[in-house]
Amino acid sequence: MLRSHPWLLLLVAFVLAGGCRCDEPPVGGSRGDFDVESRVLDFGRVLEGDTARRPVTVVGTGRASVTVSASVRGGPFSLAETEVSVPGAGSVSLEVLFAAGDVPAEGTLVLSAGGRTVEVALRGEGVRPLACVASEPCRQSRFELETGGCVESESPDGAACIPGSRCQENGRCQAGACVGSPRTCDDGNPCTRDACSPEQGCITSPVACPAPGNPCRVGLCDRDQGCTDVAAADLSVCGKVDCVTARLCFSGTCREVPTPEGFLCAPATPCQGEGHCRTGECVRPPVEELTPAFAQELGGEPSFSPGGPVLLTHGEALYASVCGGDAGCRLVSYTSEGFLRFETLYPEGAARVLLAVSDAGVVLHEPGALESYASSVTGTPLWRVPLASVEAPPGAERLVPSTGAGRVALGPEGEVVSLVSWAPPDARDGGVGAALVVLAPDGGVVRQGALDGIRFAGDARVALDSRGEVFLFAAGGPLVRASPEDGGTGFQSVPLLAEVPESGASLAVAGDWLFAGTRAFVGVDGGLPALAQWDAGATGVRPLDEPVLLLDDTGYAFARTCPRTDGTACAPAEEGMLLRAFDARGGAARWEVPLLPDEAPGVLHEAALVQGGAVSTVTSMRLGAETRAHLQVFARGERLMMCPLPGTPRVVGATYAGHFVYVALERGGTWRLEAFDLEPFITAETRGWSQASGVSGSRRASP
């Protein structure tokens, strides 16, 4: 018989009483205590302005419940509650809030109870979203937090949109394209001519009734009767007028009478008041200098190439490429009121020159590439296409490609058309091969190819008509239209003129006419050319290659003149300059006018058509011991205005927009952009080939 031991009996009794509970978690004792599941709480990336919420799990590590106090230290963190009760052997969630800014943030969550303190590190990154702008209609752009970039997608069908052409309205998205209904421009008035321009929308102009044979009758369009004529206002001029005698209208009849005292003999200009007859003479107040509407420092010297634009305008913005100062070379843009929109530094600080601008971007040229920068308020670089990437014509693979001012144009949708020529590095006689390349607004190659063996050198020009047809002209010829190759990726050349003797490199297109080399007018569909009559009028005439202007059936060109009759050449100080207007239908000279006063050598900086059939110029001329700059206006063989700019600036270029003329010039070592408001005297023409480089430098005609 076994002997019982007291300790054995106690063990059996403990087991029978259920003293071992091995399925419960261990606890630290009968008092309350706590801990946290993680000592780090990371909110990740959160959009600026949003508030993120994340839980912290607090665990009871004792048998009894415990009340835990909570607070945060540092950073934009807060708590939904500052005290939680944690049950023994249980858990509870404590919510922490993060109000995101635009930078990373750190803080600390402090938990305490019964003399115990636990800290949790808080982290979060506030992210400022990009201003996402869709690249085109019927696209929507949103900011993606995870990648930190903008993501585009098609707008849903039926979403409202603005068609690319102002001749459409009520646009709706269909399969990613903006489709509108045709706009009706008929105003129901038989005395107006109504049309629609894709760029401007509805255009209305008065019907021009035939001029009666009687100069004291004027044509008038009546809404009910159509064109008729009525008596001109009394004292209307009907013939030769000076301040001694005048042919004036009285009751519809032209009579010669003594000129009335005080009769208006010269209209007012922006720099000079009206002239009135006084004792047989036309008396005018003194000419005054123009006052700038604004003057803005450019911060550097404008960069441009000969024949290229110095300034560009598009919408309400101005653009210049400048080098100098502490900022290096950069693209700068201003509002039409002179406020800075942006400055964008070029990569590596290398200089660029302006070529053209559209909604798709500002196109620039640097020796080895074409580049585009956003024309919006950002000015960010968009794309760069090295000329070496353009497919070279046969035999030109090892030669150097080039393009530049006059050889780049913009299509109606912002596509870039560039004539690229190849030549040895030391070649002086132009290119030995050429190709035409069309780039999409995003810089991708749409079409490229050699031009059927035609060799266009650097002295060549490209121009687009208002429909987007491409025309090319080389000095001396040929003149061709480049059309997309049937079934291919290149071009086929349609010859229009084989040669234009003695012509320089210039080309303008407007309506149905091309003006090539300041020498020949030819229809856009070909036909017999009409040669511009340069041998009539002033002697010793030497036409300038550019600028040339063209509107309807009238072409305008400039020439230097030499008064010598002995056959010897004039020195630059002896040369004059003239403006001549030509009839595009036959080439006859319609009128001409001296551009500079006698014995005043000078320089033509810019020329533009202005409404009313006039031409305005920006010139510099030597007058005595000073060089002065002037804004002038000419029409029908007369100078209507000659207004001096303030002081003696050095002018390098100008551009016309609306009733403003913007001039890039240097005064006292500081390069400036100055604007001159000429309203209501002149308003820039928006039709035809209205400035030296077409529309906004695009070398494209405007309808």
Side-chain angles (χ1 to χ4, degrees):
M1 184 175 183
L2 296 175
R3 181 181 296 178
S4 298
H5 295 281
W7 60 269
L8 183 60
L9 294 175
L10 288 174
L11 178 61
V12 173
F14 178 77
V15 172
L16 293 176
C20 182
R21 300 286 302 275
C22 297
D23 57 338
E24 294 184 2
V27 295
S30 61
R31 69 181 184 86
D33 208 347
F34 76 97
D35 205 342
V36 292
E37 284 190 346
S38 175
R39 297 299 176 100
V40 177
L41 179 60
D42 194 340
F43 286 81
R45 294 164 59 86
V46 180
L47 282 178
E48 178 186 18
D50 285 356
T51 298
R53 299 169 177 264
R54 300 285 188 274
V56 172
T57 302
V58 185
V59 180
T61 59
R63 289 184 176 276
S65 63
V66 61
T67 299
V68 179
S69 298
S71 62
V72 292
R73 188 171 62 233
F77 301 96
S78 60
L79 298 168
E81 51 187 331
T82 59
E83 190 175 270
V84 291
S85 179
V86 185
S91 64
V92 68
S93 292
L94 175 66
E95 193 172 51
V96 183
L97 287 68
F98 170 43
D102 61 349
V103 294
E106 294 184 354
T108 304
L109 170 64
V110 181
L111 302 171
S112 59
R116 174 177 170 76
T117 298
V118 176
E119 293 187 351
V120 178
L122 305 177
R123 299 171 187 165
E125 181 182 357
V127 179
R128 174 168 291 177
L130 299 176
C132 296
V133 179
S135 60
E136 57 185 287
C138 293
R139 304 280 295 178
Q140 53 190 6
S141 183
R142 62 178 178 81
F143 179 71
E144 189 174 73
L145 182 61
E146 292 74 16
T147 63
C150 296
V151 177
E152 279 201 0
S153 59
E154 285 188 2
S155 298
D157 286 354
C161 60
I162 300 177
S165 169
R166 292 191 177 183
C167 292
Q168 294 183 335
E169 58 186 356
N170 301 322
R172 296 289 174 181
C173 294
Q174 295 181 14
C178 188
V179 179
S181 56
R183 171 170 288 173
T184 301
C185 291
D186 186 1
D187 61 5
N189 185 352
C191 290
T192 60
R193 297 175 59 187
D194 307 314
C196 189
S197 163
E199 289 83 11
Q200 302 176 57
C202 290
I203 300 174
T204 299
S205 59
V207 168
C209 291
N214 183 347
C216 288
R217 306 285 295 181
V218 294
L220 179 69
C221 185
D222 182 84
R223 188 160 189 151
D224 298 322
Q225 302 179 40
C227 281
T228 181
D229 62 82
V230 297
D234 286 351
L235 299 180
S236 297
V237 176
C238 57
K240 183 180 179 181
V241 174
D242 55 34
C243 283
V244 178
T245 59
R247 294 189 61 81
L248 305 176
C249 295
F250 294 93
S251 301
T253 302
C254 188
R255 301 176 184 175
E256 184 171 296
V257 298
T259 304
E261 190 73 1
F263 188 79
L264 177 67
C265 55
T269 73
C271 62
Q272 190 175 27
E274 293 178 341
H276 295 271
C277 291
R278 297 281 187 270
T279 62
E281 298 289 338
C282 187
V283 179
R284 303 190 67 177
V287 174
E288 298 180 351
E289 292 181 342
L290 292 173
T291 301
F294 73 78
Q296 174 66 263
E297 290 190 12
L298 284 171
E301 182 175 357
S303 299
F304 61 96
S305 58
V310 178
L311 298 170
L312 290 176
T313 63
H314 184 62
E316 296 296 316
L318 297 159
Y319 303 87
S321 182
V322 300
C323 287
D326 297 333
C329 295
R330 60 206 183 276
L331 174 66
V332 297
S333 177
Y334 300 90
T335 68
S336 56
E337 291 81 26
F339 296 103
L340 182 66
R341 297 175 70 238
F342 65 77
E343 285 188 293
T344 300
L345 186 67
Y346 298 136
E348 302 176 359
R352 272 81 166 154
V353 296
L354 295 175
L355 293 176
V357 62
S358 69
D359 287 340
V362 185
V363 181
L364 301 104
H365 175 232
E366 55 103 347
L370 291 174
E371 295 181 344
S372 179
Y373 290 71
S375 56
S376 64
V377 294
T378 61
T380 55
L382 300 177
W383 50 260
R384 181 179 189 273
V385 176
L387 297 181
S389 67
V390 177
E391 181 180 338
E397 293 82 358
R398 297 185 179 181
L399 304 180
V400 178
S402 66
T403 188
R407 292 189 283 162
V408 174
L410 297 185
E413 303 300 324
E415 61 272 26
V416 180
V417 181
S418 177
L419 178 65
V420 182
S421 59
W422 280 260
D426 57 350
R428 297 182 179 180
D429 58 350
V432 299
L436 194 64
V437 59
V438 179
L439 306 175
D442 62 1
V445 176
V446 175
R447 182 177 292 272
Q448 63 178 327
L451 295 166
D452 299 342
I454 299 175
R455 295 187 175 187
F456 288 94
D459 54 347
R461 295 294 181 264
V462 60
L464 276 63
D465 66 9
S466 58
R467 300 167 299 178
E469 292 281 348
V470 181
F471 299 89
L472 304 164
F473 179 72
L479 171 66
V480 302
R481 181 173 67 246
S483 300
E485 184 179 32
D486 292 338
T489 59
F491 299 89
Q492 57 184 5
S493 300
V494 180
L496 300 179
L497 286 177
E499 62 177 350
V500 182
E502 301 181 13
S503 63
S506 65
L507 180 62
V509 57
D512 297 328
W513 296 101
L514 292 155
F515 190 11
T518 70
R519 294 285 183 174
F521 295 94
V522 65
V524 293
D525 294 322
L528 292 176
L531 299 181
Q533 295 182 4
W534 282 108
D535 55 354
T539 60
V541 173
R542 181 161 51 90
L544 299 179
D545 290 348
E546 289 178 329
V548 289
L549 309 171
L550 183 62
L551 179 63
D552 298 330
D553 61 351
T554 304
Y556 304 86
F558 298 83
R560 292 199 175 275
T561 59
C562 177
R564 290 179 178 268
T565 58
D566 57 3
T568 60
C570 280
E574 299 177 280
E575 289 186 326
M577 194 177 298
L578 63 80
L579 163 64
R580 184 173 289 182
F582 297 94
D583 179 0
R585 300 180 185 278
R590 287 180 166 168
W591 52 264
E592 70 177 40
V593 61
L595 194 65
L596 309 173
D598 292 341
E599 300 179 357
V603 177
L604 171 64
H605 301 292
E606 184 64 35
L609 296 175
V610 294
Q611 292 181 4
V615 176
S616 180
T617 64
V618 179
T619 55
S620 293
M621 61 189 74
R622 189 75 177 173
L623 298 173
E626 294 182 332
T627 298
R628 300 297 304 270
H630 294 80
L631 287 171
Q632 302 189 71
V633 176
F634 305 90
R636 298 172 295 279
E638 296 183 3
R639 178 186 284 111
L640 306 182
M641 179 187 102
M642 185 174 180
C643 291
L645 274 60
T648 57
R650 174 190 170 195
V651 176
V652 293
T655 189
Y656 289 71
H659 47 82
F660 280 88
V661 180
Y662 300 95
V663 184
L665 49 78
E666 181 263 337
R667 295 184 186 275
T670 301
W671 287 98
R672 297 153 64 95
L673 170 64
E674 294 185 355
F676 298 91
D677 187 355
L678 304 181
E679 188 180 24
F681 195 74
I682 70 169
T683 301
E685 182 63 75
T686 57
R687 300 176 300 133
W689 197 270
S690 53
Q691 295 197 40
S693 53
V695 180
S696 296
S698 65
R699 296 197 61 80
R700 176 167 56 90
S702 178

